[in-house]
Amino acid sequence: MGRKVAIAGVGLTKCSSHRKDVTYPELVYEAVSAALADAGIGFEQIDAVVYGSMDTFGGVFAPERWCVDSCVSAGFLNKPMLKITTGGTTGGSIALGAYYHVGSGMFDVVLAVASERVGEGLEAQLVLNTAVDPIYERWIGAGAITIAANQASSHFHYYGTTQEDLAMVAAKNYANALNNPYAHLQRHLTVEDALRSRMVSWPLRLSDCCPSSDGACAIIFASEKRARQIAKQPAWVRGAGQITDNYFAVDRPWFHDWDSLAMLARRVYKLAKISDPMDEIQVAEPYVAFSIQEILEYEALGFAEPGKGAELIRKGVTAMTGKVPFCPSGGTLCTNPIGATGLVRVAEAALQVMDNADKRQVPNVKTALAHSWGAVVGFHTMMILDKEAP
Amino acid sequence: MNRRVAIVGVGQTRHAEFRNDRIYWENDYEATKLALEVAALDKGQIDTVISSGWDAVDGRTISDMHTCMGIGGYLKDSAHVGEDGILALAYAYLRIASGQFDTAVVSGHGHREASLEAMSKVVYDPLFTRPVGANYLASLAMQANAYAQRHGVGQDSAAKVVVKNRANGVHNPYAHLKAPVTLEDVLGSGWVAYPLRTLDCPPDSVGGVALVLAAEENVKRITDKPVWVKGIGWAIEGYYLGSKDLSEMPSLAAAAQRAYSMAGIKRPLEELDVAEIHEPTSYHELMAYEALGLAAAGQGARLIDEGATERGGKLPVNMSGGALSTNLLGASGLVRAAEATLQLRGEAHGRQVAGAKLALAHGFSSLTGAASPTNCVVVLEKG
């Protein structure tokens, strides 16, 4: 097996619908310099960069080129830089990329950077529609919202989940986002407010759907020796992976269970030697772009039996005061810089493990879970972070 | 490095001008199927798959939804490198070296479904560079001009690169352009962007290419013709065309330095038996000679003038015909790695360099042309 790898520094930017106060390179610089400051190291100590962004959602194509010198002067210094794009999982995929960069033994300190500038692009759903097959699926308007609506209506039908359950997820995550200075949507939302918000694609209302945001995120991954030198409390990678489901969404009629995520969870838990996630994981930052997905994720990630996910939100198990808080940052439902969102999940999980999450800190975290999904609900990434080296 | 990695399978389609019988990812599929046949592996024996290319070139977002499925990624751990395919090879190498995966498929395709001129304009920043009218080829022409002016490189030296590569392409059954050209043809072809003429620029080809990689422990069971990754390096470059010396390729020099130091190569011209260089224009092959340390600064043209890089020369370069014969936008670098692999397997047939043991493959990954390219160099060794 490869070397032990840990997160040694995290940098986030404030997210909003359009960060007009900064140019694209300045936005990326904001995240990178925050990560370097958090780690307390200089730009010259970074051996390689892994960059992620979903180009087609922003106004400039291949923005990593424009932003290359915001990433520890990688262009000026001719450093190795690798661009990875995998839709919504992009951020999760670059976290994996940086993990393997260090794990290979070829690099000791690697910077993962992700960014998105949605405010200068087309409406994201129009772009996403180009992902699906032009003959079979594009004309039905397939995109993230419609597929998530299928997940919800299917879960309602088979398992009796209700719009009230979705509203409770939204209210919880909106409340959590109030504790997160980097969150995009920061407003009070009650269950009643959520149930009164505009219907977008039945049964998903506006408060059940994520915004699209401008934002960036940077994480420093380091080898065992360097991580111990750099960070007082590194967040060690205990297990990680990705799974690829088939691309024709309509070939996956079982929307009420997220089988591919359940399969990935089993693989990653095996790597991380986790047998009971509910008892062994203290906080989760899954990718909840739509409220229904948090309930599907409770089940697929092994925190609830299939069909019983809604009980966790009803009983407050995943609230900030519950046994395993989900989305203490407010999650994707409140902040979604598309290509960076997956990396933000890893960053938030790392902050929890490093006891650096300020007002959104969950007490006594040893192990945290980060997840992202992408494509037409076909890709997933996971990473388990821990206070102790594996 | 934790462990050694070898290329154990290689496949490519016959490259062509146009294919209206397939969608872009079917190129990846065909190449992968061929590569798996060479490795005698079933897709079930592959741990991870990495696809490559630019979504906007493919005309749709998240193109790996399709490419990763086409190369056997169903329910596997996949990723997509938004670069030329040679960087997918680099990433698969890292994944296997990390010990987390034992086998990998890497694929790339050329199947442009959008205008490169239009698309390569929106890679430039909207304030300083875009208004100049820069695009992919215009920026490469500026670079070629800067190089030619600085070192007094004549158009005939660049034209000799075209003649050499197109003559080599004749012997490559997979090549897109298989007709040789003369010096007069090149120098008589029309202007594209000074100093580039039509024949100084690669064609636009459709096709796919794939490699199968395996960890040291698995190689013996798979093949008796492994091609080891002995050295690998990649590096990126500054972005603003006006803020750097365009007559040099510092990212290629940095990538080569990393790959050579890993492979223990000190005198590349003497030690290498064959090289596949990704030349986005004829001038760039001359520039690459210098950045790769095959010639001193400004002396690249001497290699071509003396015939050192032609068939039978000291270090034959682009026996496959190079990008000037076959240009998969987004996978031309990976084709170079595939061709270098064939050389070391002794399977390059009419384009074989006899007894080749050590080969170099280079990829130029850039939609931004001369602005911020990523160059990747791989040194491969016959097992």
Side-chain angles (χ1 to χ4, degrees):
Chain A
M1 272 300 141
R3 308 198 294 174
K4 291 174 187 172
V5 180
I7 290 173
V10 171
L12 292 159
T13 71
K14 166 72 187 163
C15 295
S16 68
S17 56
H18 194 177
R19 283 288 306 272
K20 285 183 182 166
D21 57 322
V22 285
T23 65
Y24 206 146
E26 287 168 341
L27 179 68
V28 172
Y29 181 74
E30 195 176 309
V32 173
S33 52
L36 290 172
D38 183 39
I41 60 172
F43 67 94
E44 73 287 349
Q45 295 191 42
I46 301 293
D47 299 328
V49 180
V50 186
Y51 198 108
S53 170
M54 273 319 289
D55 302 333
T56 36
F57 291 98
V60 173
F61 189 54
E64 76 282 0
R65 262 58 185 185
W66 189 13
C67 300
V68 63
D69 281 317
S70 299
C71 305
V72 296
S73 297
F76 181 69
L77 298 172
N78 304 129
K79 294 198 183 202
M81 181 154 134
L82 195 71
K83 168 83 176 292
I84 293 174
T85 67
T86 62
T89 44
T90 295
S93 291
I94 66 164
L96 292 170
Y99 169 55
Y100 299 129
H101 267 63
V102 178
S104 73
M106 199 165 175
F107 304 100
D108 287 330
V109 185
V110 173
L111 180 71
V113 189
S115 66
E116 204 67 68
R117 195 96 165 139
V118 186
E120 292 176 357
L122 281 171
E123 157 61 34
Q125 291 307 312
L126 293 178
V127 178
L128 193 61
N129 187 241
T130 68
V132 299
D133 187 276
I135 295 167
Y136 295 103
E137 290 183 334
R138 204 173 287 183
W139 58 274
I140 62 170
I145 295 172
T146 43
I147 301 296
N150 274 324
Q151 290 179 313
S153 54
S154 184
H155 212 270
F156 285 17
H157 175 76
Y158 286 101
Y159 298 136
T161 299
T162 65
Q163 291 201 44
E164 284 73 19
D165 296 325
L166 303 191
M168 286 165 78
V169 171
K172 167 180 78 70
N173 290 357
Y174 272 64
N176 290 351
L178 289 171
N179 291 326
N180 179 2
Y182 305 105
H184 175 177
L185 301 182
Q186 284 179 308
R187 61 168 190 261
H188 289 281
L189 180 90
T190 64
V191 171
E192 294 70 34
D193 294 337
L195 287 169
R196 276 197 302 269
S197 78
R198 176 167 70 82
M199 188 62 76
V200 176
S201 180
W202 194 88
L204 302 179
R205 296 174 180 278
L206 191 59
S207 56
D208 294 315
C209 305
C210 59
S212 52
S213 321
D214 277 12
C217 176
I219 297 182
I220 294 165
F221 285 79
S223 63
E224 181 171 14
K225 189 176 157 203
R226 295 291 286 125
R228 289 191 198 280
Q229 288 167 350
I230 295 169
K232 203 164 62 193
Q233 173 59 67
W236 297 93
V237 180
R238 239 174 98 175
Q242 189 270 4
I243 195 164
T244 311
D245 203 350
N246 74 2
Y247 56 85
F248 284 115
V250 289
D251 281 355
R252 272 181 270 137
W254 56 96
F255 284 115
H256 47 292
D257 291 326
W258 222 339
D259 292 4
S260 55
L261 178 56
M263 189 180 281
L264 176 65
R266 287 194 293 273
R267 290 178 194 168
V268 173
Y269 290 154
K270 195 175 163 201
L271 285 171
K273 301 186 177 69
I274 286 174
S275 49
D276 183 353
M278 188 60 124
D279 279 338
E280 295 170 58
I281 292 171
Q282 289 79 44
V283 61
E285 273 287 344
Y287 195 104
V288 181
F290 301 95
S291 54
I292 180 62
Q293 291 171 340
E294 185 165 316
I295 293 172
L296 266 78
E297 287 156 1
Y298 295 156
E299 300 168 13
L301 293 170
F303 290 85
E305 295 290 314
K308 308 276 192 207
E311 284 177 19
L312 295 194
I313 189 73
R314 288 174 200 152
K315 291 178 181 162
V317 177
T318 55
M320 276 306 271
T321 50
K323 185 165 189 223
V324 187
F326 267 57
C327 305
S329 66
T332 313
L333 199 61
C334 298
T335 313
N336 186 23
I338 302 173
T341 305
L343 195 64
V344 174
R345 305 277 68 73
V346 177
E348 289 287 347
L351 288 174
Q352 293 287 348
V353 169
M354 297 162 99
D355 290 324
N356 250 344
D358 298 325
K359 278 171 75 185
R360 56 197 189 283
Q361 180 70 47
V362 173
N364 305 318
V365 171
K366 178 180 176 293
T367 310
L369 180 155
H371 154 256
S372 67
W373 71 260
V376 183
V377 301
F379 294 164
H380 295 278
T381 70
M382 275 176 71
M383 191 170 266
I384 306 284
L385 298 172
D386 203 287
K387 270 201 165 75
E388 288 170 24
Chain B
M1 238 42 55
N2 290 333
R3 54 180 180 172
R4 295 203 300 158
V5 177
I7 297 170
V8 297
V10 51
Q12 60 182 316
T13 64
R14 285 176 191 272
H15 309 295
E17 178 75 30
F18 180 66
R19 293 291 295 258
N20 64 356
D21 60 337
R22 54 176 54 179
I23 315 174
Y24 67 99
W25 55 267
E26 290 175 296
N27 296 300
D28 299 76
Y29 164 76
E30 187 186 327
T32 299
K33 195 163 176 289
L34 293 166
L36 286 171
E37 279 168 18
V38 167
L41 290 175
D42 180 78
K43 66 179 192 290
Q45 293 166 282
I46 300 299
D47 294 341
T48 181
V49 305
I50 316 278
S51 68
S52 61
W54 293 284
D55 285 359
V57 176
D58 296 324
R60 53 170 89 182
T61 189
I62 327 179
S63 61
D64 49 323
M65 279 171 67
H66 310 87
T67 46
C68 282
M69 291 299 293
I71 61 176
Y74 180 53
L75 298 182
K76 290 190 185 132
D77 195 313
S78 78
H80 174 89
V81 172
E83 302 273 4
D84 184 284
I86 198 162
L87 285 148
L89 165 61
Y91 187 25
Y93 171 83
L94 292 175
R95 284 190 159 211
I96 293 178
S98 78
Q100 305 276 350
F101 303 92
D102 291 331
T103 48
V105 160
V106 172
S107 87
H109 61 264
H111 199 131
R112 187 148 72 74
E113 303 208 354
S115 155
L116 179 58
E117 287 69 34
M119 209 166 35
S120 68
K121 278 195 178 102
V122 293
V123 297
Y124 293 108
D125 83 275
L127 298 178
F128 296 101
T129 317
R130 216 180 285 183
V132 181
N135 63 24
Y136 175 81
L137 205 54
S139 74
L140 292 176
M142 286 162 68
Q143 180 159 50
N145 198 26
Y147 170 72
Q149 294 294 325
R150 177 172 167 190
H151 298 298
V153 177
Q155 288 181 27
D156 49 337
S157 292
K160 281 180 195 165
V161 172
V162 184
V163 173
K164 168 181 75 73
N165 289 358
R166 291 290 296 270
N168 289 343
V170 172
H171 304 284
N172 179 358
Y174 301 102
H176 169 189
L177 301 179
K178 293 197 197 72
V181 295
T182 65
L183 214 52
E184 293 69 39
D185 292 337
V186 181
L187 295 172
S189 63
W191 292 112
V192 175
Y194 185 84
L196 304 178
R197 296 173 183 274
T198 313
L199 292 178
D200 286 311
C201 303
D204 191 12
S205 318
V206 175
V209 55
L211 298 176
V212 182
L213 275 66
E216 196 167 4
E217 298 87 327
N218 301 55
V219 164
K220 266 208 183 99
R221 273 178 304 198
I222 298 172
T223 181
D224 53 4
K225 284 204 248 179
V227 170
W228 296 101
V229 179
K230 201 174 181 205
I232 187 164
W234 60 100
I236 196 166
E237 209 167 295
Y239 174 75
Y240 286 102
L241 292 169
S243 302
K244 57 181 182 178
D245 183 347
L246 279 177
S247 71
E248 295 171 347
M249 297 179 83
S251 60
L252 178 53
Q257 199 269 325
R258 288 196 180 95
Y260 291 160
S261 110
M262 194 172 150
I265 289 179
K266 297 199 169 58
R267 295 175 304 142
L269 185 64
E270 280 72 31
E271 294 175 55
L272 294 167
D273 299 312
V274 60
E276 282 284 333
I277 292 175
H278 179 181
E279 76 295 26
T281 79
S282 55
Y283 288 84
H284 285 78
E285 182 165 321
L286 301 176
M287 294 180 73
Y289 292 164
E290 298 168 21
L292 289 169
L294 307 176
Q299 301 295 308
R302 271 181 63 183
L303 286 187
I304 193 86
D305 290 339
E306 291 166 2
T309 55
E310 66 188 33
R311 176 182 281 261
K314 190 169 185 185
L315 174 62
V317 171
N318 288 340
M319 289 297 283
S320 64
L324 286 166
S325 299
T326 309
N327 184 34
L328 305 183
L329 182 66
S332 268
L334 190 58
V335 172
R336 306 277 73 73
E339 283 291 335
T341 301
L342 289 175
Q343 289 285 351
L344 298 178
R345 289 174 66 95
E347 294 171 355
H349 305 296
R351 59 199 189 282
Q352 180 71 44
V353 172
K357 287 195 174 60
L358 198 63
L360 178 145
H362 156 235
F364 174 87
S365 176
S366 177
L367 265 192
T368 39
S372 209
T374 296
N375 279 287
C376 179
V377 173
V378 188
V379 175
L380 298 172
E381 185 180 40
K382 183 176 180 168

